[in-house]
Amino acid sequence: MRASLLRLAESISNQPLNLKEISGTLLPPKPLYRRILRAHRGLAADLRYMGDGYVKSEFRRHQAVTNPVHIIGFLSQWKAYLDFLPKGPDAKHFTGKKLDTTVFEKMSSEQLGQLYELMHATQGVWKNPVS
């Protein structure tokens, strides 16, 4: 791999990229996909609906990716998400977490625009809750 690709992958996380260590903790795409959908079963109905749709679309969108650095980054981020999801009876009361400032600072202007649009879209939903 080119050094620039490794530097790009390293910039995504705080820790240096160690391919041998990451491959031991990563799951293959299909089992990871299934585990995430199973973990969503414990969430509240509206979170599960939104999460399942997002997971399905992201995995579908990245199905044809052949770049190993992108694949490792994709799988490692989804594995971290799976590890973060609550398990057991606490899952029904899960509301998410705040965005880390380091992640926020690394976002491109396009990503910031999408986040801003998402913020406005969700504010309308929470102002008029359905009973």
Side-chain angles (χ1 to χ4, degrees), residues 35-62:
R35 282 190 185 183
I36 292 170
L37 292 179
R38 273 190 219 113
H40 282 182
R41 289 180 190 165
L43 298 175
D46 54 346
L47 287 178
R48 179 181 180 186
Y49 175 75
M50 183 177 67
D52 285 354
Y54 184 72
V55 169
K56 289 174 184 179
S57 68
E58 281 296 303
F59 273 81
R60 205 174 298 123
R61 200 175 295 135
H62 289 83

Side-chain angles (χ1 to χ4, degrees), residues 3 12-13 18 61 65 74 84 88 100 109 119 121 124 126:
I12 294 172
S13 73
N18 184 349
R61 200 175 295 135
V65 173
F74 180 80
F84 171 74
D100 188 20
S109 58
M119 179 187 73
W126 294 112

Side-chain angles (χ1 to χ4, degrees), residues 9 12 17 22 26 67-79:
I12 294 172
L17 182 65
I22 288 176
L26 288 182
N67 185 337
V69 174
H70 289 166
I71 294 169
I72 289 172
F74 180 80
L75 294 176
S76 64
Q77 288 299 312
W78 279 108
K79 177 69 167 79

Side-chain angles (χ1 to χ4, degrees), residues 101-120:
T101 56
T102 58
V103 174
F104 187 73
E105 292 169 355
K106 291 180 183 179
M107 287 185 172
S108 68
S109 58
E110 181 181 336
Q111 290 171 325
L112 289 173
Q114 290 175 347
L115 190 61
Y116 184 75
E117 290 174 11
L118 177 65
M119 179 187 73
H120 281 291

